[in-house]
Amino acid sequence: MDGWRLLVVGATGVIGAEVAVSAAARGARVAVAGRDPVRLDRVERRVGAGRGQVFDAYDLERCRDLPARAARGLGGLDAVLVAIGAVAFGRAGEVPLAVQEHLMAVNASAPVAVLEGALGVISPGGAIGALTGVIVERPVPGTAAYRASKAALAAWLDSVRAEHRRDGLTVLDARLPHLDTGFAERSLAGTPPPLPPGADLGPWVSAVLDGLLHGAGVLRPDGTHANPVSVPATPGPANPRGGIR
């Protein structure tokens, strides 16, 4: 990844921070954006980035402008990864409408705005991508609102991949398995259903970066890449029975 210019949006989260740090360790020049300025400052120091961008998922114009700002700072942009997310639990009709609206804003509208902004600045042959999760692949009772928001993002990625099939743009949908990050315990509402043991984070971070770098379309929770050009071996074991992310 030497010289690759990457923007990680959501770098103050557990997964986003590790993606940024791992990319920098592999030689990429990394720009970071996140919601929490204190945590963003810590990540900046770890990756040697310049001043990061603070944003709010409800400010869609700001979200759309993140890639252009990063490109100005890096002298161009080769890839953008969105790693933001929120979760809530409850059967259909149980999750408050305000929480459902928040899930759609954070899990779908904001990532789409960021990636739409990226389309105008990404270098030819570059990559965009987002984390959706295993939840897109299979229904889990008590996750209807959460799954709907992530499925909306997955559908957008699928459509954009088809629109750009001929121009060499990689559009990665990273459907990661349930990971040991504490994400489910930070739910906005409800109680998590029984979950399998979380998979190790490190190998999946590497798999996401490999997918962006080598032209993968979908990174599946069993570790396989759909539509890859050339992707290394699958990451560590994941429980195929399900999970949240």
Side-chain angles (χ1 to χ4, degrees):
M1 300 185 75
D2 285 347
W4 228 44
R5 298 161 298 184
L6 169 67
L7 168 64
V8 179
V9 177
T12 53
V14 176
I15 301 176
E18 288 307 307
V19 168
V21 170
S22 181
R26 292 170 61 170
R29 297 172 58 205
V30 181
V32 292
R35 183 178 56 128
D36 187 313
V38 175
R39 284 186 288 179
L40 190 63
D41 182 65
R42 294 195 198 109
V43 176
E44 289 168 20
R45 292 198 297 269
R46 291 178 69 189
V47 303
R51 184 170 183 176
Q53 301 185 66
V54 177
F55 74 98
D56 187 289
Y58 280 87
D59 187 346
L60 297 183
E61 291 297 331
R62 171 73 169 171
C63 290
R64 181 175 287 188
D65 195 43
L66 293 176
R69 289 173 176 265
R72 289 194 290 271
L74 294 175
L77 206 55
D78 299 299
V80 175
L81 180 75
V82 179
I84 65 176
V87 66
F89 301 103
R91 297 174 67 87
E94 294 179 349
V95 177
L97 291 176
V99 174
Q100 294 187 47
E101 179 184 24
H102 185 75
L103 293 177
M104 281 292 180
V106 174
N107 294 339
S109 297
V112 166
V114 172
L115 296 176
E116 284 185 343
L119 292 175
V121 298
I122 288 288
S123 299
I128 64 172
L131 308 184
T132 56
V134 63
I135 195 68
V136 172
E137 300 252 317
R138 58 186 67 93
V140 177
T143 65
Y146 173 61
R147 185 173 190 243
S149 64
K150 286 293 189 177
L153 176 57
W156 186 88
L157 293 167
D158 198 34
S159 295
V160 173
R161 190 181 306 111
E163 292 172 357
H164 290 267
R165 195 178 305 278
R166 295 173 183 259
D167 60 20
L169 177 71
T170 291
V171 181
L172 178 66
D173 178 353
R175 300 179 181 181
L176 305 186
H178 176 57
L179 299 173
D180 189 16
T181 64
F183 178 69
E185 286 70 41
R186 296 189 291 273
S187 64
L188 301 172
T191 302
L195 298 172
D200 291 338
L201 178 59
W204 287 95
V205 166
S206 295
V208 169
L209 291 174
D210 290 338
L212 288 171
L213 187 61
H214 295 290
V218 180
L219 171 58
R220 299 198 182 282
D222 62 359
T224 60
H225 293 77
N227 304 320
V229 174
S230 173
V231 181
T234 60
N239 190 316
R241 292 188 293 108
I244 299 303
R245 184 193 230 169

